[in-house]
Amino acid sequence: MCGIGGFVGRRFVDPGQWGAMLGALKTRGPDAQKAVMWDGSFRETDGAGTAGLLHARLSIRDLRPEADQPMANARRDIWICFNGEVYGYEADRAELIRQGYAFRTTSDTEFILYAYEAWGDAFIERLRGMFALVILDLRSKRLFAARDRLGLKPLLYYADGGDFAFASTLRALVPYLGGQARIAPEAVDAYLAHRYIPAPQTLVRGIKRLANGTSLVWEFGEGRPPELRRYWQPHPAPGDFRETLDKAVALRTASDRPVGIFLSGGIDSAVVASSLVRQGYTNITAFTATFPGTAYDEGPQAARMAKALGLAHRAIPVEPRLADDFDRIVADLDEPFADPSALPLWYLARAASAEVKVVLGGDGGDELFAGYKRYRQHLRSRWRGSATISLAYDGLPWEKPARWREELGLTWQEAYVLRFSGLSPAVRRYLQPDLPEVPAVHWRDFPSDQRGLAALLAIDFANYLPEYILRKGDLCTMAHGLELRAPLLDHRFVDLVTGLPANRRFTRPAKAPLVETCQVCRDEGLLTAKKRGFSPPLNRWLREDLFARLPDLGARLGAATDGQLRAERVDTLVAAYIAGLDKLAEPVYQLLVLDVALRSLGLAA
């Protein structure tokens, strides 16, 4: 697990620039930070270079310096920067040894390097796990990059004619632009709509996010745009449900450092924990974020399950002085990202990283088995299809009558955005009156001509899962040098689940196939228990710890966005919240996060 970065192009990048890029990656890889530079003729050099690879390492497998990156093949004409973990590659590694490849390490990095050399771009099909990787092939003057199938690992890139750069985070790419980074107005609107910025957009003009399951090829010096290829979509496949699940879990215990698990009071993480114990992996500590004295505290239930399973348990009370940590948390989330549950996850990761360097989690269960209640809510109105009804309303766009009027003015597919907690199109138009276009959604792969559960799952698999759920998990854990693994998103398990008959996969209550594998889930009655989520006391935090940041928020955002957000209108929304309209807590939090993120990234005007 690491942070990666680099560049190839016509202009020299000085040590101050690439040093700032590498420095921005350090929290992702606290164990070693290294760089390799080349001049215009691809001779290795010190100092400035026209090409370079940067790597910050969190050592998980083969802890020796020989496994550090950037890593080269024996002839030093193929180089790799890799972030992630791949599993179950031993048979392919043995085949490479039979072909004559001499391995110096037992790391997955070196396996990937020689797999590319032996099998070309098709090697990507052999990788099982999570990854963002870039291979610099000096033989054919090409760069190959790829992001894993489900999107657990991030990869951002900048391409402009003969120049190309990449990094794990936006923060690590901004120094490459040398003060020329500019905010993309449509990305600000995308953030307001969704609480995150969906791929391929990013906050900065010219920088894009590689979508999950996609590879990229860029030819040095040709001046052509990168060539993108979608290399994976789920392929329904038969198999034994429990056996495939257990294999996915077992593979993710591979580590030369201590392993733990994030255990909530819900089904998904309990299923992973049960699988571990069923296979004999009991020397693992479970970590739970708790909110003592609140209705949404899952600590007692998680403690009972851990005891029943025979796992050591650590309850991590989330009672922070948020004012002391808020700026760092927003910075660690990189681009503006306004899911309040990121706050307790950040604190949970910080505590867990003091004891372990790898944790397993339960991400993916809701998307695989349609576990969110918003699916059922939205499906009730699918009869509307693409029909819309325009109804005028002169009040403020967050007042109660505006909501249902606005839903009628959107197609059924577009109205799905209202099931989330971002700002509605009407509120966004109110706050940005001069923005030429305010689309209902900024999702990619948007199935505008489909209705039904399949359409909603397609939206979430392309957007919400990789760019919201998994991005949050990656950034919050990597902020503390902690690797998070998601067994339920093993691509072979995903293929099996997508191949289940609909009446088996989409049960009422949801997730019955998972619960069948988990005795402790049945003992705790989790199948029929009310879903509590991972919800922090946001309203209390805004009215106490963060309240001093609310005055003049409109002026700050107006200046930072060059007037895109109208200052007096932001202040009107904030004033309504301060006056007691608690339902505006999340919109106010979104605006506050945007303010802090823009200043943290050095993008505020």
Side-chain angles (χ1 to χ4, degrees), residues 259-260 280-285 310-312:
V259 178
Y281 299 103
T282 55
N283 189 27
I284 285 178
T285 300
L311 298 176

Side-chain angles (χ1 to χ4, degrees), residues 38-39 123 229 321 398 407 427 447:
W38 292 269
D39 65 16
F123 84 97
R229 181 177 73 88
R321 280 287 304 166
W398 52 81
E407 182 163 354
V427 175

Side-chain angles (χ1 to χ4, degrees), residues 19 46 52 74 241 276 327 427 439 565:
D46 296 325
F241 188 92
L276 285 169
D327 285 351
V427 175
L565 284 163

